[in-house]
Amino acid sequence: GRTFPRPNDFQGAPTRVDAPPTERLREILAERRKICMYDDNMHANYSVVHFKAEEDGTRLITDFYTFLYFEDWRQDLWSKRFIRDHLRYKDEIMCFAARIINAIREHAKSRSPSNIEGSYNAVHIRRKDFQSQFPVTKMTASDILSEIQTLIAANSTLFIATDEKDKSF
């Protein structure tokens, strides 16, 4: 038979959404040897399914439903779209985030009166868990700056979200 696929085999060449079930399953299983079956037993005995970090520190850095599999591709699409469109954070979290966004917009407006909408740029710089799992993504502050400075207008507001603890970074 064919060799066991690797995730990079599908970069730029994903399996068609309506491909035969075996082909879609090959893509999901790339480099994986274990499968967790959500069956009648799991449904009856567990009220929560927890996707925990592995002992080596690797984490699920994608939507959890990426790895859900349904034999019928139509059911697969419907279920993933339903989760995408209807699973939300609690209102308290969304309201808190909206207050932060409003504060950033007000700051942007105060810096530039012509910026009547309070437009700003934002970057999420992941330094800890992401870099330990994907070392190739490690960049210095200078590298990051050179990558984004052509994309962001001079003197515009930039919001940086990061898990970096070193304030000199």
Side-chain angles (χ1 to χ4, degrees), residues 134-161:
F134 302 100
V136 71
T137 64
K138 188 168 188 168
M139 297 174 76
T140 66
S142 297
D143 292 337
I144 294 168
L145 179 60
S146 68
E147 287 289 326
I148 66 171
Q149 68 185 5
T150 59
L151 304 171
I152 298 172
N155 298 317
S156 62
T157 299
L158 174 63
F159 175 78
I160 302 172

Side-chain angles (χ1 to χ4, degrees), residues 17-21 24 69-79:
V17 70
D18 61 347
R24 293 186 300 109
Y69 174 80
F70 295 85
E71 186 175 359
D72 182 332
W73 66 271
R74 291 170 200 86
Q75 182 67 36
D76 189 74
L77 280 181
W78 185 90
S79 299

